[in-house]
Amino acid sequence: MRSILLRSELSYTPQKMIFLIFLFFLSTSANLVYDVCKQTRNSSLCTKTLEASANSSSADAKGLGRIMIQSARTRAAHNLVYVRQLMNQNSTNQCIQVCYEDFRLIVTAFIPNALQSLSSDSIFDAAVSILLSADQVSNCQEAATCVKSSSQLNNRCKEYADFAQLVADVLRVV
């Protein structure tokens, strides 16, 4: 009788198996995020960014790189909108137009190129595209010195450049 009780306690129903598999993948993906992010210059921001994406729980290392590139695109797009608003307030300011073109180029060329390179397993090229996008905002930072709201625009440029460096760190690990 005791052996029957032990067998019934140890039997795995399909629901229990699915739950155990889910827990395994959940802990594996959490470990992967931690393992990748601990090798970057800002592991806290890396982890926060990846954990904010629902796709990170099932992503491999390359998938985490894709999430980071997409996050860089989102940041650059937000900056593009911000600069566009500045242009609407002061349409004759050439400095703002330089920043607009920089962020437009990042959103329309550098980031898509990085995503394409990652998709074709050219990790080095993806990292180069991201690093070039970080370098591109230096034009805007230089131009921001002649913009009335230069401190906020300059901060946005610096934040994007720092984040792009973080993305390159993640790609280095992939």
Side-chain angles (χ1 to χ4, degrees):
M1 181 72 155
R2 182 166 160 87
S3 66
I4 294 172
L5 284 175
L6 284 176
R7 267 193 220 145
S8 67
E9 289 175 8
L10 295 177
S11 67
Y12 292 104
T13 64
Q15 292 86 0
K16 286 182 184 177
M17 290 300 293
I18 290 171
F19 180 72
L20 289 173
I21 291 170
F22 173 75
L23 284 178
F24 172 75
F25 282 116
L26 186 61
S27 74
T28 302
S29 65
N31 290 340
L32 182 59
V33 167
Y34 174 77
D35 289 343
V36 167
C37 289
K38 75 178 180 183
Q39 298 178 57
T40 66
R41 66 190 70 223
N42 189 338
S43 63
S44 175
L45 179 58
C46 176
T47 302
K48 181 180 172 185
T49 302
L50 289 172
E51 288 179 346
S53 171
N55 296 332
S56 68
S57 63
S58 61
D60 59 2
K62 184 176 167 182
L64 296 180
R66 180 178 319 294
I67 291 167
M68 292 298 287
I69 293 171
Q70 291 167 338
S71 294
R73 178 178 52 198
T74 299
R75 287 170 180 262
H78 285 225
N79 287 339
L80 182 62
V81 168
Y82 174 75
V83 173
R84 182 68 174 162
Q85 290 170 342
L86 290 178
M87 281 179 60
N88 289 340
Q89 294 168 3
N90 189 356
S91 61
T92 60
N93 190 319
Q94 295 289 8
C95 300
I96 296 172
Q97 291 176 1
V98 167
C99 291
Y100 180 80
E101 287 304 315
D102 287 341
F103 280 109
R104 188 187 65 73
L105 190 60
I106 291 168
V107 171
T108 61
F110 289 110
I111 300 290
N113 187 48
L115 287 168
Q116 177 63 39
S117 295
L118 185 65
S119 293
S120 62
D121 292 328
S122 299
I123 309 301
F124 178 79
D125 292 340
V128 168
S129 291
I130 289 298
L131 290 172
L132 287 172
S133 78
D135 190 52
Q136 188 68 35
V137 297
S138 65
N139 293 336
C140 182
Q141 285 178 298
E142 291 168 12
T145 59
C146 66
V147 177
K148 183 179 175 185
S149 60
S150 64
S151 64
Q152 187 172 6
L153 183 55
N154 199 22
N155 288 343
R156 285 174 173 260
C157 291
K158 182 179 179 342
E159 286 172 4
Y160 176 80
D162 290 346
F163 189 78
Q165 292 283 335
L166 179 63
V167 174
D169 287 350
V170 170
L171 292 173
R172 181 180 43 81
V173 176
V174 172

